[in-house]
Amino acid sequence: MKNIFLLLLVGTTFSSCAEMQQIGNQLPGILNQGNVDIAGGLKEALNNGINKQVSKLTATDGFYKNEMVKILLPEELQKVDKALRKIGLSSLADDGLRAINRTAEDAVKTATPIFVDAVKGMSFTDAKNILMGNESAATTYLQGSTSTALYSKFSPVIKNSFAKVGADKIWATIITKYNAIPLVKKVNPDLTDYTTNKAMEGVFKMISVEEKSIRTDVKSRTSSLLQQVFAIQDKK
């Protein structure tokens, strides 16, 4: 099944009637659907993805207790974790892992609009390629075309969140304790970079959950507009 979801969402970003007519001419039967507000339906679907799924990440344990997006320690810090536990500091190690996830949970509260804005840069050519591509074409496009911009905006939010939730102090203590162990190779990880990337991955995953649900499960189409719009998709 062609990935119509993101193509139609892109329809909300075209600024001229000429572009919309071009799509209608080249992809007959997809956008010529009478009085159905396709753009409005897809905006509603995206909002559902953010309100129902991404918002879950902002709650306490939204990352930490969600195995789909839980942020685990990078390879460099796994040896730190093991070493601390061996010397009786398991509680501190647990606090460190929890703190990373708390940082992501806090950051998502202010960063989710960035992901909505990310789709606005899609051109007609991008949309056509997404439609004609495989079922992961939309995700591949979004990740490839927005990751740099998203990172530059998301990273400072993560950095501030480290201080806000106290993760910076916890990890400063962890690294100090570990580096004081005799004969270990000292570490100085960039946790802001690591957590930023993992938090971004988590948001994309949760949006994709709602997208798939609406596209494949009629019960998830909770308004008449969603039902009308995705009935068009079902006929493909």
Side-chain angles (χ1 to χ4, degrees):
M1 180 179 67
K2 297 294 184 181
N3 191 329
I4 294 177
F5 179 84
L6 260 298
L7 169 76
L8 296 176
L9 175 62
V10 174
T12 66
T13 69
F14 292 119
S15 59
S16 71
C17 293
E19 283 185 298
M20 290 300 293
Q21 185 62 50
Q22 182 183 18
I23 296 173
N25 291 339
Q26 294 195 21
L27 303 173
I30 295 178
L31 296 182
N32 282 329
Q33 298 295 336
N35 295 321
V36 178
D37 182 8
I38 294 175
L42 272 298
K43 288 174 70 175
E44 181 178 340
L46 181 59
N47 284 334
N48 283 355
I50 295 171
N51 294 331
K52 292 183 179 180
Q53 299 297 339
V54 177
S55 62
K56 294 177 182 178
L57 299 178
T58 67
T60 300
D61 292 329
F63 272 86
Y64 189 62
K65 291 188 177 179
N66 182 340
E67 293 303 320
M68 183 182 299
V69 297
K70 182 178 181 179
I71 301 175
L72 303 178
L73 294 178
E75 184 175 355
E76 181 184 11
L77 292 181
Q78 290 175 14
K79 62 183 180 181
V80 175
D81 181 90
K82 292 179 181 178
L84 291 179
R85 295 181 190 281
K86 286 182 179 179
I87 61 174
L89 295 176
S90 295
S91 178
L92 182 59
D94 291 339
D95 288 343
L97 180 60
R98 189 180 297 107
I100 289 178
N101 284 271
R102 287 286 183 272
T103 299
E105 291 159 9
D106 180 68
V108 170
K109 295 175 183 177
T110 57
T112 49
I114 297 171
F115 291 86
V116 178
D117 291 340
V119 300
K120 293 181 180 179
M122 287 184 182
S123 66
F124 166 71
T125 300
D126 294 329
K128 181 180 177 182
N129 290 338
I130 289 169
L131 177 67
M132 300 305 177
N134 59 38
E135 290 188 356
S136 64
T139 298
T140 300
Y141 168 79
L142 286 175
Q143 291 176 331
S145 64
T146 66
S147 290
T148 299
L150 287 172
Y151 183 95
S152 67
K153 293 181 180 180
F154 206 69
S155 182
V157 177
I158 292 288
K159 186 175 182 179
N160 290 336
S161 293
F162 260 91
K164 183 178 178 180
V165 304
D168 54 346
K169 294 181 179 178
I170 292 172
W171 274 99
T173 300
I174 288 174
I175 298 304
T176 299
K177 293 279 188 183
Y178 176 77
N179 287 341
I181 298 174
L183 303 180
V184 301
K185 183 178 180 181
K186 298 185 185 306
V187 298
N188 185 28
D190 186 347
L191 286 175
T192 296
D193 173 75
Y194 178 77
T195 307
T196 296
N197 284 307
K198 289 300 181 181
M200 288 169 57
E201 289 178 17
V203 173
F204 276 121
K205 285 182 181 179
M206 296 307 291
I207 290 177
S208 71
V209 166
E210 186 67 16
E211 174 188 346
K212 181 178 180 180
S213 178
I214 292 175
R215 289 199 291 123
T216 61
D217 185 358
V218 175
K219 294 179 181 179
S220 295
R221 302 167 191 176
T222 54
S223 72
S224 59
L225 181 56
L226 287 176
Q227 292 163 11
Q228 292 174 40
V229 170
F230 285 94
I232 298 170
Q233 172 201 259
D234 294 342
K235 296 176 182 177
K236 288 297 294 178

